[in-house]
């Protein structure tokens, strides 16, 4: 009667032996060798998963199933965990078994609003026939070069004012790598007094309380969109128990926004000194910079400048600075989604509380900042808080960097007084409207900031001034429309963007953006149903994407009824 126990025990032992092998796909020896060669001596930590995925994609042009399985084994992760991260981000090409690899060269054409107004749709229609089957042509969300519209990205090379001819020329010449020239490097920055302020802080010539008070007196607020007062944020995080970390957001994915790229291309050490001063004042042990993947030239330049800074640091015990690469996900501009991505996960916003100032990166109190916020720290501390606050119009204080694109004669980053109106901005800073174009409407805060008619062109542009009109300034991304454009077309463009960029975590955003887009693509708008849908999205979405996505629709219904055919 005991005999049946023997095979059962043996069978159990056999199962245990089998489980020592990884679950799922068995690892291909050549794929494992490829992955080990690419990773070299780099740590296999969980938070480096996205960095390692980039290495494989850059080398092989895609992420094949064998390479994903090999990477999972090498990092000690479940294959499903690696796969879910790889498939979350737009810039990773995951190739399933039996599927062909993508073409050796990919051309992405920006379909953001400014590029669409400049002829991106026509370009998308022409390029596949001109470039041939060996080149893959994709429609891309905003690539952060709205002042150069339309823009195509050939491999990793941005082509401004793109045409079929110049894109074809770059592809044939094999020019596929972006470079940043003429920036202020470390030596030039130091020669002009750079890092002296940081040394004074560390030497005790300034104390942290004095520095924070100066920033508070300036009225400087976070310039990534939320507008939280900078000095107050430093005090909050400084009061939290250590160790504390810093996360810097250069993932400016809001359609219409490009100011951070422009400042980074010109003067990278100004923001790095601001970050190091913040680290000193708040007691930060490590700094993480999250840079959007579309900024290939900026990344190469910043990596080189960071290497120089590490080799010749401005102070002893400089906190380590880690540069992390995004992978094409607008949602990672949200602070907690960015932190998830830095940790090597899908960029999905966290429920709050707790806030990132309390429980942020790797579970530690985290000082999260937009790039431009830190860009201003040195100048404000050198000139004084009142210098910055003395600028402004219409009762507002400070300076704002407006990313202006669309139908103006001179688009670009315009440093102007806070509270300037759109009419003043166009006339004084943008050379007026382009020939043949009359001012019709504008987006004051990018795709999510709403749409206003020219008749409301005298509202001061700043934090808190646009909310009564159903809009907000956000990161000050201004897109100017003329009589040749329509608010309805702008709303359709922005909603298509939000639908594609929703992380899918919550139903109101995931289903709401899709339903809203279907409704506004109809010849007749069911305004009552759209109003109900907008309210649900605002009330129930987890993060700002779903909450703000209805803004363009609501503005069209409120301010542009003449463009609508109503559904009865």
């Amino acid at each position: 009667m005991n005999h049946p126990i023997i095979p059962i025990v043996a069978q159990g032992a056999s199962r245990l032996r089998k489980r020592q092998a990884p679950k799922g796909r068995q690892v291909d020896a050549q794929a494992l060798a490829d992955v080990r060669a690419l990773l070299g001596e780099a740590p296999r930590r969980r938070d480096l998963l996205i960095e390692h995925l980039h290495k494989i994609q850059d080398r092989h042009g895609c992420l094949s199933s064998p390479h994903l399985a090999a990477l999972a084994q090498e990092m000690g992760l479940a294959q499903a965990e690696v796969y879910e991260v790889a498939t979350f981000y737009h810039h990773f090409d995951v190739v399933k078994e039996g599927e062909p690899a993508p073409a050796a060269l990919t051309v992405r054409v920006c379909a953001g609003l400014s590029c669409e107004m400049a002829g991106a749709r026509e370009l998308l229609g022409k390029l596949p026939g001109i470039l041939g089957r060996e080149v893959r042509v994709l429609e891309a969300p905003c690539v952060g070069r709205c002042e150069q519209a339309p823009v195509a990205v050939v491999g990793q090379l941005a082509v401004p004012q793109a045409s079929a001819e110049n894109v074809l020329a770059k592809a044939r010449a094999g020019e596929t790598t972006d470079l940043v020239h003429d920036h202020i490097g470390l030596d030039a920055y130091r020669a002009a007094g750079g890092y002296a302020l940081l040394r004074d802080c560390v030497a005790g010539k300034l104390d942290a309380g004095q520095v924070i008070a100066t920033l508070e007196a300036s009225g400087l607020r976070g310039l990534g969109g939320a507008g939280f007062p900078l000095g107050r944020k430093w005090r909050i995080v400084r009061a939290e128990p250590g160790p504390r970390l810093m996360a810097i957001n250069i993932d400016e994915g809001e359609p219409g926004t490009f100011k951070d790229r422009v400042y980074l291309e010109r003067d990278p050490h100004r923001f790095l000194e601001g970050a190091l001063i913040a680290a000193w004042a708040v007691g930060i042990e490590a700094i993480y910079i999250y840079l959007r993947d579309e900024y290939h030239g900026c990344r190469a330049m910043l990596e080189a400048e960071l290497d120089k800074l590490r080799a010749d640091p401005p102070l002893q015990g400089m906190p380590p600075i880690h540069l992390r690469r995004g992978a094409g996900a607008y949602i990672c501009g949200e602070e907690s989604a960015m932190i998830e991505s830095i940790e090597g996960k899908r960029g999905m916003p966290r429920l709050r509380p707790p806030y990132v100032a309390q429980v942020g990166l790797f579970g530690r109190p985290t000082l999260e900042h937009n790039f431009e916020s830190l860009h201003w720290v040195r100048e404000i501390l050198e000139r004084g808080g009142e210098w910055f606050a003395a600028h402004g119009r219409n009762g507002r204080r400070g300076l704002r960097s407006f990313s202006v694109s669309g139908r103006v004669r001179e688009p670009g980053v315009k440093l102007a007084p806070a509270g300037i109106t759109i009419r003043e901005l166009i006339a004084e800073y943008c050379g007026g409207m382009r020939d043949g174009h009359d001012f019709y409407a504008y987006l004051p805060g990018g795709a999510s900031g709403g749409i206003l008619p020219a008749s409301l062109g005298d509202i001061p542009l700043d934090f808190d001034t646009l909310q009564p009109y159903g809009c907000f300034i956000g990161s000050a991304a201004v897109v100017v429309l003329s009589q040749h454009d329509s608010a309805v077309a702008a709303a359709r463009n922005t909603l298509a963007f939000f639908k594609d960029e929703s992380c899918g975590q919550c139903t109101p955003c995931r289903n709401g953006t899709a339903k809203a887009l279907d409704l506004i693509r109809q010849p007749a708008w069911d305004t009552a149903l759209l109003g109900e849908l907008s309210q649900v999205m605002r009330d129930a979405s987890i993060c700002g994407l779903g909450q703000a996505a209805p803004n363009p629709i609501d503005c069209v219904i409120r301010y542009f009824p003449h463009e609508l055919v109503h559904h009865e």
Side-chain angles (χ1 to χ4, degrees), residues 221-227 249 254 259-260 333 370-373 463 474-475:
R221 296 170 66 168
L223 298 170
N249 187 347
E254 180 73 23
K259 62 183 177 63
D260 292 352
N370 166 258
F371 166 91
E372 194 200 350
S373 306
F463 300 112
S475 58

Side-chain angles (χ1 to χ4, degrees), residues 55 60 94 148 241 275 312 342 373 384 463 474 488 503 527 540:
K55 291 176 182 177
H60 296 282
V94 178
Q148 302 168 1
D312 186 12
I342 292 173
S373 306
F463 300 112
V488 166
C503 74
T527 54

Side-chain angles (χ1 to χ4, degrees), residues 203-219:
K205 295 181 181 179
L206 295 170
D207 63 55
Q210 180 182 356
V211 164
I212 294 173
T214 300
L215 292 173
E216 289 175 330
S218 74

Side-chain angles (χ1 to χ4, degrees), residues 62-255:
C62 63
L63 299 173
S64 68
S65 295
H67 282 138
L68 290 175
L71 180 63
Q73 177 169 308
E74 189 67 9
M75 297 187 70
L77 299 172
Q79 292 182 22
E81 194 172 7
V82 173
Y83 184 82
E84 73 174 10
V85 171
T87 53
F88 180 84
Y89 295 92
H90 296 317
H91 290 182
F92 290 139
D93 290 313
V94 178
V95 177
K96 298 177 183 177
E97 188 157 9
E99 293 181 346
L105 179 62
T106 295
V107 173
R108 289 180 166 87
V109 178
C110 177
L113 179 57
S114 299
C115 285
E116 183 177 86
M117 291 162 58
R121 292 291 166 194
E122 293 81 357
L123 187 61
L124 274 164
K126 290 179 180 178
L127 285 179
I130 294 172
L131 296 174
R133 294 182 179 179
E134 295 181 359
V135 179
R136 179 176 59 160
V137 179
L138 298 177
E139 178 182 317
C142 182
V143 298
R145 296 178 179 273
C146 313
E147 85 282 23
Q148 302 168 1
V151 179
V153 182
V154 180
Q156 294 185 347
L157 174 68
V159 181
Q161 286 83 47
S163 65
E165 293 73 25
N166 61 18
V167 170
L168 178 61
K170 297 295 184 184
R172 284 180 173 173
E175 296 182 37
T176 58
T177 304
D178 223 351
L179 297 173
V180 170
H181 302 285
D182 302 325
H183 65 281
I184 300 171
L186 179 58
D187 291 342
Y189 184 74
R190 277 186 166 142
Y195 292 110
L197 178 63
L198 173 65
R199 289 195 296 271
D200 286 347
C201 290
V202 175
K205 295 181 181 179
L206 295 170
D207 63 55
Q210 180 182 356
V211 164
I212 294 173
T214 300
L215 292 173
E216 289 175 330
S218 74
L220 179 64
R221 296 170 66 168
L223 298 170
F228 194 86
L230 203 78
R232 191 191 308 171
K233 182 181 284 191
W234 288 22
R235 288 192 189 278
I236 290 170
V237 179
R238 191 168 183 248
E240 294 292 323
R244 308 173 198 92
L245 303 173
M246 185 190 302
I248 301 172
N249 187 347
I250 322 181
D251 192 57
E252 54 174 358
E254 180 73 23

